[in-house]
Structure formats: structure tokens, C-alpha cells
Amino acid sequence: MRYLLISDIHANLAAFESVLEDAKGLYDKVWCLGDMVGYGPDPNECVELLLTLDHLCIAGNHDWAVLGKLDIDDFNPDARFASLWTREQLTDKVRDYLDNLPIALVEEKLYTLVHGSPRHPIWEYILSPTIAQPNFKQFNTPYCFVGHTHSPVIFQEALQANAMCEPLAADFNNGPMRLGERRLIINPGSVGQPRDGDARAAYGILDIDARSFEYRRTSYPVSVTQEKMKAYDFPARLWNRLAFGW
Ligand code: ZN
């Protein structure tokens, strides 16, 4: 069984479609790590497309924010604009879908799925080894998939107890890496709003039988998404950033 690992699509339909095209034939099912909506112009379309796939999805902070389940006062002005705009767009069907997303899942006995971190699934950002380290104690499986930071990275647990975990840089389009004995926190990166300086959509393929994970990256027509955002009078910062991946 092979899984398509996607996260932080953020209502960017062009990016989502390009990932599905690029990954065609490489996966059987989909695991989505949350933030389907917020920032981008196609919230309903992205959820409807996900619903056509054999998938599991967990809730992200933006999914909660548009439902009013999370206070958006902590959001920056651009994120708040997008969240309030999205609220007005959502169909009842999509709102219900987002409202029923779980916040954490354990699948195939080996894989924990959360949006932010195992310790605080909705909002904690695992941006550094010092934040990853205590989180290794917060899940019971060998591997945990997270999103939220929009930056692809793997944190590998140290061999000695209490030694600091190590970050491993994502190696894109370079074939699968075997998941070894050491526990890992894996972030596949963001489909719809990458923030690692690479504008291409990021995702991963997990092969359960081979116990391997492959980082992949594919370009998509950024201008298609930008033009929709301009037409809806989104703040320039929100559509500008997509061209640069920040
Ligand atoms: Zn996000």
C-alpha cells in the first residue's frame, strides 16, 4: 500500500491538481495533514477534489479558524483576511466536512498523523530540534507525520536517551529513502503555500510495504492561483509570496 502525503493545500487548486497529476500511479490512498483552506482562492473546490479520493484527513489551525473554532486574533492581518473571506465562501457540505475532521490519527499501527505536533496537534510549529525533541515523547508509534510549518524536514530521534534529535534536509525527486529503526517526525512540506524558498508544490509518497518515504516536488501554474486572488482583492502579499515560496 502506498500513500500520498499532502499537507497545507490552503485552497490552492492549481497546486493540488498538479500534485495529483505528478503523483499519478504512485499511490493507492491519500493522507492529508490539514489546512485544506485559508490563504487561497479555491476552498470548496479543493475539499471537493479531496472528497473524490480515497483519503483520510485531519484538522489544521486554518480549518478550525474558518469555522470559528479558533480565535483569529492571533493571525496576521493577511491570514485573518483570508480566513474571513473563506468563511463567506464555504458551502454547507464543505463546512460540515471540515467540522468533522479528527485532530490526530494513528494508522497502520506505525504512523501518527497530526497537523502541528503530537503535543499540540492544532497549533504547535515544529520548526527546530529543540521543539521536535519533547514531541518524541508525545506519540507512541515509530513515525509521526506533521505539516503546519510549510517547510519539508525530517527530525530523527537520537540513539542515546536525552541526546538531541537531528534535522535531516528533504531530498526532492531523488528516489525513496528507507525508514530505518530510528523514530522520525516527517514533514512533507506544503502543497499550496511552500515557505522554504522553493515555489514548487511539495509532497511525499509513503510505501508501507517497502517502508520507504520519497520527497517529491512539482511546479504548478502559480499565475492561475494568483489571478484568482487578485480578482477577489486578496492582499498583494498573499499572492506575491506564492511565486517565491515564502
Ligand atoms: Zn498551513
Side-chain angles (χ1 to χ4, degrees):
M1 183 68 71
R2 297 159 308 165
Y3 289 93
L4 173 67
L5 262 297
I6 48 177
S7 190
D8 298 277
I9 291 168
H10 282 295
N12 187 339
L13 184 65
F16 190 13
E17 287 176 337
S18 295
V19 163
L20 295 181
E21 185 60 33
D22 190 63
K24 211 175 227 171
L26 300 178
Y27 67 93
D28 306 294
K29 295 185 181 189
V30 177
W31 286 347
C32 176
L33 303 171
D35 276 7
M36 282 302 298
V37 302
Y39 290 128
D42 313 299
N44 293 315
E45 294 80 357
C46 285
V47 173
E48 292 286 354
L49 180 54
L50 184 66
L51 285 168
T52 67
L53 307 168
D54 186 352
H55 79 281
L56 291 174
C57 185
I58 51 176
N61 57 318
H62 284 261
D63 305 316
W64 274 25
V66 299
L67 298 168
K69 290 166 96 166
L70 198 76
D71 192 354
I72 58 168
D73 287 350
D74 294 337
F75 277 18
N76 67 56
D78 297 338
R80 202 177 311 141
F81 170 92
S83 195
L84 293 172
W85 178 87
T86 304
R87 243 179 232 186
E88 301 300 314
Q89 312 300 319
L90 290 189
T91 62
D92 289 346
K93 179 183 170 191
V94 168
R95 192 179 296 112
D96 272 2
Y97 173 81
L98 295 176
D99 202 15
N100 286 299
L101 293 176
I103 61 168
L105 291 171
V106 174
E107 292 302 312
E108 306 273 1
K109 298 195 177 85
L110 299 177
Y111 306 93
T112 300
L113 313 180
V114 289
H115 179 66
S117 77
R119 181 166 60 178
H120 300 295
I122 295 293
W123 59 264
E124 186 176 42
Y125 293 88
I126 304 187
L127 284 161
S128 66
T130 50
I131 301 169
Q133 182 76 6
N135 270 293
F136 276 103
K137 295 194 173 66
Q138 305 287 327
F139 64 102
N140 299 318
T141 54
Y143 312 110
C144 177
F145 285 99
V146 301
H148 196 36
T149 65
H150 301 206
S151 291
V153 65
I154 294 178
F155 294 99
Q156 177 170 251
E157 195 173 42
L159 287 172
Q160 299 88 5
N162 300 322
M164 188 57 81
C165 63
E166 321 158 33
L168 309 175
D171 191 11
F172 290 102
N173 301 343
N174 208 10
M177 62 169 270
R178 230 188 100 63
L179 304 178
E181 298 305 312
R182 290 166 70 178
R183 297 175 73 224
L184 304 172
I185 294 173
I186 303 172
N187 189 325
S190 168
V191 171
Q193 195 202 69
R195 291 181 192 160
D196 60 339
D198 184 339
R200 295 174 301 165
Y203 70 98
I205 301 285
L206 170 71
D207 186 323
I208 298 279
D209 307 305
R211 261 226 211 176
S212 68
F213 181 77
E214 179 180 9
Y215 268 113
R216 294 178 63 91
R217 204 99 194 205
T218 187
S219 52
Y220 73 94
V222 174
S223 60
V224 168
T225 301
Q226 290 178 315
E227 289 308 316
K228 290 184 204 170
M229 294 166 85
K230 289 179 199 173
Y232 292 134
D233 285 328
F234 275 41
R237 225 182 90 91
L238 280 186
W239 48 264
N240 262 327
R241 65 189 300 174
L242 294 179
F244 303 100
W246 53 269

